[in-house]
Each structure stands twice: as C-alpha cells, then as structure tokens.
Amino acid sequence: MSPATYLVPLGVALAGSLAIEAAAASRRPSLRPGDLAIRAAGYTLITLFWFQFSWRPWLAATSCLLTLAVLAVVDRLKRKVIGEPVVFSDLALLAQVPRHPQLYYTLPLTDLRIAGPLLLSLSAIVAWYVLEPAALPEAPAQRLLAILGLPAALAGLVFAALTPPAEPWLRHLFPRPDLAQDVARYGLVATMIGYAVRRLGESRTKPVAPTPPVGAPASPADEVVVVVQLESFLDPARIGGPDLPLMARIRTQAAQYGRLAVPAHGAYTMRSEHAVLTGCEPETLGFGRFDPYLARKGDEPTSLARLARAAGFRTIFVHPFDRDFFDRARVFARLGFDRLVMEEDFAQSPRVGPYVGDVAVAERILAEVAEGSGRSFLFSVTMENHGPWKAGRLAGIDAPMAQYVHHVANTGRAVELLIDGLAHRRATLCVFGDHAPSLPGLRAPAEGPLATDYALFHFGRDTVRAPVRVDLTAARLGCVLRDALSGKAEG
C-alpha cells in the first residue's frame, strides 16, 4: 500500500484533534513549533494505539478524534466542578464508573441513554471492520511481523523514555506537575502520557520523609485515638448556610481547630486521606500526587496506622462503602490497619439519601472502641455528604444547597455524639473535612482549593487549655496526629 494510505488519515487525525482541543480549551493553546510538535506526537501515539487493534487507518483516525472529543468534554466538566484538567491517573478510575455511576454523575450501563449509544457504536465499529480493508502486508510473515511489531514498538517507546538520553529530556519537558500550563502548551494527550511516564520513572525513588510535627500538646497515655475524615465537610456558614451547633462546641471545647488547606476541591478524597495518614505534602509526591494510592499502593512505612501499631494500639479502619473503591481494602491493609469495617458491616444501618448516615458511622466507631481491650487507633471515612447533588436525592428537598445543609447537620450531630462518647476516656479525637462539597456554583478560588475545617479534641487531661486556632495543611495535621500517637509534646 502507498504511504498516502496511512498518512492522509493520520493528517486528518492530527488536524481534527488540534481543532477539537482548541475549541474546547479554557486557555488558548500554544502555537510554538516545539509545543505543536509534542502535541502532534501525542495525537500520533493515540492514533497508533487504536491502529494496532484494527489496522484500519480511517478507523484509527476516527477513534483518535472520538478519544479527543470525549477527553475534551470530560475535561471541561472536570474543570467546571473541580477546577483541574483531566490527568493520567483519572484513567484508573474508569473501572469504577460502571459500578458506581452515581459518583461520577453518569447513568448505569443498563440505562437506554447509555446502552443505546454504546450498542450503536459497537455496531458502527463492526460495520467499519467490514467496509474498510485492513492495511496489512500481503505476505503472511510480514503480516505477522507487523501485527506483533507495532505493540512491541509502542511498549518499547515507554521503556526508552525511562532510559538515557530520553529520561533527562522528559524531565526537562515536565520538571514538575503544572497541569494547566502543560495542557495549554502540549495538549491533554501529550500531557497525560508525559505525566504517566514521569510517574513511572519516579517509582524507582524513595518516598520523601514527612514534614516536622507542629501542634497542641499530646500525652503518651491516650487510651484511644480516633480520626474521622468527614466527607465534603466545612462550616456551612462559610458558604451561605446556617450556623452549625457543632462549630460552637469546636470553638469552645477543642484543644485546637482551624482551616485545613486540602489538596483538591470537590473531589479526590484519597489525596487528603493520604496527606493526613502519612504527613507528606502533595509537593513531595511528584507526579504521584494526583492519586497517591495508585502511585504508592499503601507502601508507607511511617503511616499513622503503622506507628500506632508499633506503639501498642490495635488499628481499625471504618468506612461504610465498597471495600474495592480506590482499592481501599488492599491499601489500608498495607498502611497498617488490622481490622477493616466496611460496607458489608453496615448492611443494616440506616441510609440518609444514597449513603449510610454519619450518625450510624459515629455509633459504629464508639462500638468498636468499646468492644476492644487495650489501646485503640481508629481512622474513619464517612460518606453521607458525598455527591451528586441532584433532584431525587432526598424526599422533598431538591435544591443542592438545601440537601447539603440537611446532610451536614447530621454530620454535626455525629461529631457531637463522638465528643460525648469519648469525653469520659483519656482520648484524642480529630475530625476534618476532606474537601469542599461539589455543589453547583461553589467553585475553587483562583488561589487554590477551598479550605475545609478541622478540630482536635483531647479528653481526660488534668489541665484544660483554652482552644487555639491554628490553620494547617492536611499533611501538617497528619504530623500533629503523629504526636498524639507517640506522646510527644510540643512546648
């Protein structure tokens, strides 16, 4: 076959992909020759990726255009809700979408609005296979060599990018994560590929030690340390909601409280989770910062759970949702948790809207603490305040803000239940919001994700200090909790 058989469809894929991204981009794409060359390389790789499955040039070109169109739509929605472009680690979440469509603002595969287009697309692909001949050599040996050679060549490119001299060039191209800037320069595809390869290169380096601890005094004699990550929690009065009774108790009874700077806005729970559990700031994670669980898989020798276990605590994780979501069951076992209390353990618990209510989670936490002997470290992640915020979530309450106010009031009651339940113990209780709620109209400020709120309580102390406000990052809060587990006191 002539070179035009391959080059004309490829040229259409490159020009069409650039047009799609230019039309959908929030910032004007860079037109510098070097940047355009890298952008075109990304489009070419996507076209070759699809080409290896069919060996039909026009089908591969069309698949590239559809890939860019889908990415552009998802990117636009993600920027609107979260304020962040699509990133390579988002691809790892695709497997969760069919299982938990409501979490991703989509419909189940059985819904005709999803199943219909999928069946039509599948039919179109089958018809295309029939109508467009494969662009393979005629000789059987050459045909086999081509079929095996192209996937091997694509895999070889990844390997080559991790070896000199390509690796230093790639580090120069993407020295550090700067999503908005890199997407504007190189496009979504090239940035996703570049970031993924950079992450592979970083996997061979050792994790960075956490930042130094800072916080209120702690005691080595704590019987119980309870840390609760509250889904989408912040003081509702800060976003136009009513005063929450819990906040008054925090300001008068907590040892320490304040704003919590979190790594993301409206989503990516695992980023805040990882920061608190390890004390590692996102900047120290390199290109693994976008999904620390995917990057490190729980391999954290100095996680809070491992430190607690070494200090003689039994370690418990409580989360009323699917144990495979974010691969939490595997990750949390590696983080050092001996007991996992997850969705199946909440089968009889009341739900408030789509998820198990926060009050039920608080009751389970107190039951777990009461059941065991010896010292207990318990980390919990709630679910009641999780999106999506849409009509039908709560009977008679359709406005997203009204739904959030209803749920966050339950969160307040749950935390107050924990305060009252632990007050008679020598214990530390920490509660914090993982990120702001993804409510329509509540966008991330220009300076970064909207801060949440946290509070740290010490019970059973001989002396009571006046509450102090200290604004922290999620990682610094993790360092405060390291003190609570080690008994180290700050002056």
Side-chain angles (χ1 to χ4, degrees):
M1 293 186 179
S2 68
T5 303
Y6 304 97
L7 295 180
V8 172
L10 178 59
V12 171
L14 299 185
S17 297
L18 178 58
I20 289 170
E21 284 211 89
S26 59
R27 294 170 57 177
R28 182 183 175 187
S30 170
L31 298 179
R32 293 193 299 180
D35 296 346
L36 284 174
I38 294 169
R39 186 185 290 263
Y43 300 152
T44 301
L45 287 173
I46 290 296
T47 305
L48 290 173
F49 172 80
W50 291 119
F51 185 61
Q52 69 180 325
F53 298 110
S54 69
W55 286 88
R56 286 158 172 82
W58 285 106
L59 179 56
T62 304
S63 298
C64 175
L65 294 175
L66 288 174
T67 300
L68 265 295
V70 170
L71 282 176
V73 170
V74 174
D75 181 72
R76 193 176 188 89
L77 291 173
K78 187 182 173 189
R79 287 175 187 265
K80 183 178 179 181
V81 176
I82 303 173
E84 177 182 290
V86 171
V87 67
F88 73 97
S89 56
D90 291 334
L91 297 178
L93 303 178
L94 287 178
Q96 299 178 0
V97 175
R99 297 183 62 188
H100 307 285
Q102 77 280 5
L103 297 185
Y104 296 95
Y105 294 81
T106 187
L107 298 168
L109 292 177
T110 52
D111 191 293
L112 281 178
R113 288 167 289 181
I114 297 294
L118 285 177
L119 289 174
L120 286 174
S121 299
L122 182 60
S123 300
I125 291 172
V126 171
W128 205 312
Y129 263 80
V130 174
L131 296 174
E132 184 182 4
L136 281 166
E138 294 294 333
Q142 294 177 350
R143 182 182 292 256
L144 180 62
L145 182 62
I147 291 173
L148 297 178
L150 180 55
L154 292 175
L157 282 176
V158 176
F159 175 77
L162 297 173
T163 58
E167 188 176 27
W169 175 79
L170 195 63
R171 284 201 304 265
H172 174 76
L173 202 63
F174 301 107
R176 66 191 63 82
D178 189 351
L179 264 179
Q181 178 66 25
D182 289 335
V183 168
R185 290 188 65 184
Y186 309 125
L188 281 169
V189 170
T191 300
M192 292 174 73
I193 294 172
Y195 277 32
V197 177
R198 286 284 282 117
R199 174 57 213 154
L200 285 174
E202 287 178 343
S203 64
R204 297 173 293 180
T205 62
K206 293 182 179 180
V208 179
T211 51
V214 53
S219 166
D222 268 335
E223 299 174 346
V224 178
V225 176
V226 174
V227 183
V228 185
Q229 179 173 279
L230 303 171
E231 173 63 41
S232 301
F233 176 80
L234 49 69
D235 181 358
R238 292 171 51 201
I239 57 174
D243 292 329
L244 197 65
L246 169 66
M247 301 311 297
R249 291 192 71 173
I250 286 175
R251 287 187 284 268
T252 57
Q253 298 178 24
Q256 181 175 313
Y257 68 94
R259 301 279 191 267
L260 190 71
V262 290
H265 179 90
Y268 292 113
T269 294
M270 81 291 275
R271 297 183 190 177
S272 300
E273 221 170 271
H274 182 273
V276 170
L277 283 168
T278 65
C280 292
E281 296 286 357
E283 293 75 16
T284 68
L285 304 179
F287 290 84
R289 64 182 298 177
F290 301 107
D291 189 338
Y293 290 167
L294 176 66
R296 300 202 180 188
K297 304 184 188 306
D299 185 17
E300 305 287 355
T302 58
S303 73
L304 288 177
R306 291 194 184 188
L307 293 177
R309 183 193 285 170
F313 289 83
R314 63 191 185 106
T315 55
I316 308 162
F317 175 57
V318 177
H319 178 49
F321 200 62
D322 188 342
R323 62 174 45 242
D324 294 325
F325 195 69
F326 293 151
D327 200 21
R328 274 201 177 101
R330 190 194 312 270
V331 167
F332 273 77
R334 295 191 68 184
L335 282 168
F337 287 92
D338 300 315
R339 174 168 164 74
L340 306 181
V341 181
M342 306 196 76
E343 186 174 39
E344 60 272 17
D345 300 294
F346 287 88
Q348 305 304 317
S349 299
R351 290 177 176 258
V352 184
Y355 312 108
V356 173
D358 285 356
V359 170
V361 175
E363 291 171 345
R364 185 58 184 254
I365 290 171
L366 293 175
E368 289 290 330
V369 168
E371 284 177 7
S373 59
R375 307 171 79 190
S376 300
F377 169 68
L378 190 149
F379 186 89
S380 179
V381 176
T382 68
M383 276 297 291
E384 183 178 339
N385 293 340
H386 204 294
W389 307 99
K390 59 183 181 180
R393 178 188 177 106
L394 293 172
I397 306 176
D398 286 341
M401 185 63 186
Q403 291 176 345
Y404 180 71
V405 167
H406 179 88
H407 286 299
V408 83
N410 291 336
T411 302
R413 285 190 284 272
V415 175
E416 291 193 90
L417 186 64
L418 291 173
I419 294 171
D420 296 336
L422 294 173
H424 67 286
R425 308 284 296 264
R426 189 166 184 90
T428 289
L429 169 66
C430 176
V431 295
F432 68 95
D434 58 350
H435 52 69
S438 56
L439 294 167
L442 184 61
R443 304 291 177 243
E447 61 272 17
L450 185 66
T452 63
D453 290 276
Y454 83 95
L456 186 69
F457 297 85
H458 293 313
F459 304 111
R461 272 41 175 187
D462 296 329
T463 58
V464 179
R465 293 177 42 154
V468 57
R469 174 173 172 173
V470 182
D471 295 341
L472 297 173
T473 65
R476 300 286 279 183
L477 177 60
C479 292
V480 173
L481 294 171
R482 297 167 88 84
D483 285 349
L485 292 170
S486 66
K488 182 179 179 180
E490 295 292 319

